[in-house]
Amino acid sequence: MSSIPRFHRLAVSDLRRETADAISLCFAIPRELQADYDFSPGQYLTLRTTLDGEEVRRSYSICSGPDDGELRIAVKKVDRGAFSNWAAEELKCGDQLDVMTPTGRFGIAYAPDQARVYVGFAAGSGITPILSMVKGVLAREPLGRFFLFYGNRSTGGMLFREALEELKDRFMQRLAVFHVISGEEQDIPILHGRLDGEKVRVLLRSLVPAKSVDHVFICGPAGMSEDIEATCRDIGIAGDRIHVERFVSEFGGKPRPKAVVPAAAPPKAIASLTIDGKRREVPVADNESILDAALRAGMDLPFACKGGMCTTCRARLVEGEAHMEVNYSLEPWELDAGFILTCQARPVSDKVVVDYDHI
């Protein structure tokens, strides 16, 4: 499997209407690319296409399990979302898209001989990567148990409701699913309202004692995720057992705008970049990220969100200094080892040497 994420042109082999505003789609993988598209639950795919003359990239979590024999994602419409609205309304079987090889590190390694207890908190389309994890744990960890708390406005807008019910029926002793609905009354009062930190505190106290939890997975809007993460820490779950996947889509329908740099802008620094064993030097203007400078120079480098979340643009800073505006994804050990997110890193020294091949 290639270490550097790459795009390949793939055809949509199946497309399902999951809810009124969401679809799931499956990609046909040629035999020679099967190994490149092997994935771990929790990873995602970045799709690339051209809309109205502009290149558009969006990332969507894989919802299929490791033993489903397919590579499937879900796309839910978002307000003013150029890509999601186009995909939900116009995409059809047989259409081709540029699909990056799987990336992301939301999941953890399996422990087939351990009786781990997992808890998942998902809201809306945040169920997508966690559904893949649930399938993986149930299939690969015969002693593992999974408690899933899934928040939605209504039962009608719930993604993968039938799939979750089927899994619950098949694994009654190992999977428990609790639906937290904000727009409809529930028989159990604690399951009515928004899935937030206060509710999680009660749920974990009454249903899954914090001391029995081995790993927590959280995926949903930023406010919800931060609130639940803080609550989990507060009730005694160690930070290295709490895993959060943050939505790129929280920035809205388009990526964060970047400063327009004139072609004749004087360089503030020189970046020497190595990828696939080839080195190239590019000028970096004042207040320009290393990635944007490389793209402006015509280089084809891996990236997805440009928001400091996904690690697709991760590389090692071998020489020089650079400052990252934000970092939501690199671990402390990676920072200590010199890794940077090139979409966020701006040179501080006159020259920086960056290696994409050093993983």
Side-chain angles (χ1 to χ4, degrees):
M1 183 173 175
S2 174
S3 58
I4 299 173
R6 301 185 188 283
F7 281 106
H8 298 281
R9 194 81 171 161
L10 301 180
V12 176
S13 59
D14 182 61
L15 192 149
R16 299 177 193 158
R17 176 68 55 185
E18 299 288 350
T19 66
D21 60 355
I23 59 168
S24 71
L25 52 114
C26 184
F27 293 101
I29 313 296
R31 182 173 298 177
E32 65 272 18
L33 293 177
Q34 290 286 344
D36 292 286
Y37 284 92
D38 283 344
F39 68 91
S40 299
Q43 290 192 303
Y44 57 86
L45 300 177
T46 298
L47 311 185
R48 180 178 68 185
T49 192
T50 300
L51 298 176
D52 297 327
E54 288 188 24
E55 180 188 287
V56 179
R57 300 186 185 204
R58 293 292 184 271
S59 300
Y60 297 97
S61 295
I62 297 167
C63 57
S64 43
D67 301 307
D68 286 354
E70 66 176 16
L71 184 65
R72 184 176 293 274
I73 61 170
V75 179
K76 186 175 183 178
K77 286 184 183 181
V78 296
D79 289 341
R80 300 182 303 279
F83 188 96
S84 64
N85 282 278
W86 168 79
E89 295 170 6
E90 298 186 31
L91 200 60
K92 59 186 183 300
C93 282
D95 287 350
Q96 294 188 336
L97 290 170
D98 292 330
V99 182
M100 189 182 283
T101 46
T103 48
R105 301 177 295 176
F106 186 34
I108 60 171
Y110 293 119
D113 44 356
Q114 295 182 31
R116 284 176 170 177
V117 174
Y118 298 91
V119 175
F121 297 105
S125 55
I127 188 61
T128 314
I130 293 182
L131 174 61
S132 183
M133 289 180 183
V134 169
K135 290 178 176 180
V137 167
L138 295 176
R140 304 286 180 92
E141 294 193 16
L143 304 176
R145 299 178 66 198
F146 211 113
F147 293 83
L148 173 62
F149 299 91
Y150 184 19
N152 282 281
R153 290 193 185 94
S154 67
T155 53
M158 192 183 297
L159 273 171
F160 304 121
R161 184 181 181 185
E162 288 184 11
L164 289 169
E165 292 299 323
E166 289 174 5
L167 286 170
K168 193 169 68 170
D169 289 343
R170 280 176 56 202
F171 299 96
M172 293 181 67
Q173 304 302 315
R174 299 173 52 212
L175 174 62
V177 181
F178 302 91
H179 295 292
V180 181
I181 308 296
S182 61
E184 300 169 3
E185 289 296 330
Q186 298 289 86
D187 293 336
I188 304 172
I190 188 60
L191 299 180
H192 175 68
R194 288 182 177 274
L195 188 58
D196 57 17
E198 183 180 349
K199 198 173 291 292
V200 163
R201 190 181 297 272
V202 176
L203 290 169
L204 289 185
R205 187 171 63 236
S206 57
L207 295 172
V208 197
K211 62 183 180 181
S212 72
V213 175
D214 290 291
H215 288 279
V216 174
F217 297 98
I218 306 168
C219 189
M224 180 208 95
S225 296
E226 291 168 3
D227 192 14
I228 293 177
E229 180 184 12
T231 297
C232 287
R233 290 175 183 270
D234 191 46
I235 62 178
I237 300 175
D240 61 353
R241 293 172 179 261
I242 304 169
H243 313 275
V244 183
E245 180 76 325
R246 292 176 170 86
F247 281 175
V248 174
S249 61
E250 67 197 37
F251 294 127
K254 294 185 177 181
R256 281 178 174 174
K258 66 181 179 71
V260 177
V261 178
K268 179 186 178 184
I270 298 296
S272 179
L273 310 177
T274 299
I275 185 166
D276 288 335
K278 299 176 182 177
R279 176 175 287 197
R280 179 174 170 185
E281 293 192 345
V282 300
V284 186
D286 187 34
N287 200 34
E288 186 178 32
S289 73
I290 294 170
L291 175 63
D292 283 337
L295 296 176
R296 183 166 61 94
M299 291 189 70
D300 183 16
L301 296 181
F303 73 92
C305 77
K306 284 195 177 181
M309 294 182 172
C310 72
T311 73
T312 308
C313 68
R314 172 183 180 267
R316 188 174 183 185
L317 183 64
V318 179
E319 183 183 316
E321 293 182 52
H323 170 72
M324 285 191 293
E325 283 198 350
V326 298
N327 167 39
Y328 298 110
S329 52
L330 292 181
E331 301 288 345
W333 72 264
E334 291 175 293
L335 298 174
D336 292 341
F339 287 101
I340 58 173
L341 300 173
T342 56
C343 74
Q344 296 297 316
R346 286 157 172 75
V348 175
S349 54
D350 292 337
K351 182 177 181 181
V352 292
V353 178
V354 178
D355 187 354
Y356 279 85
D357 295 339
H358 193 115
I359 62 168

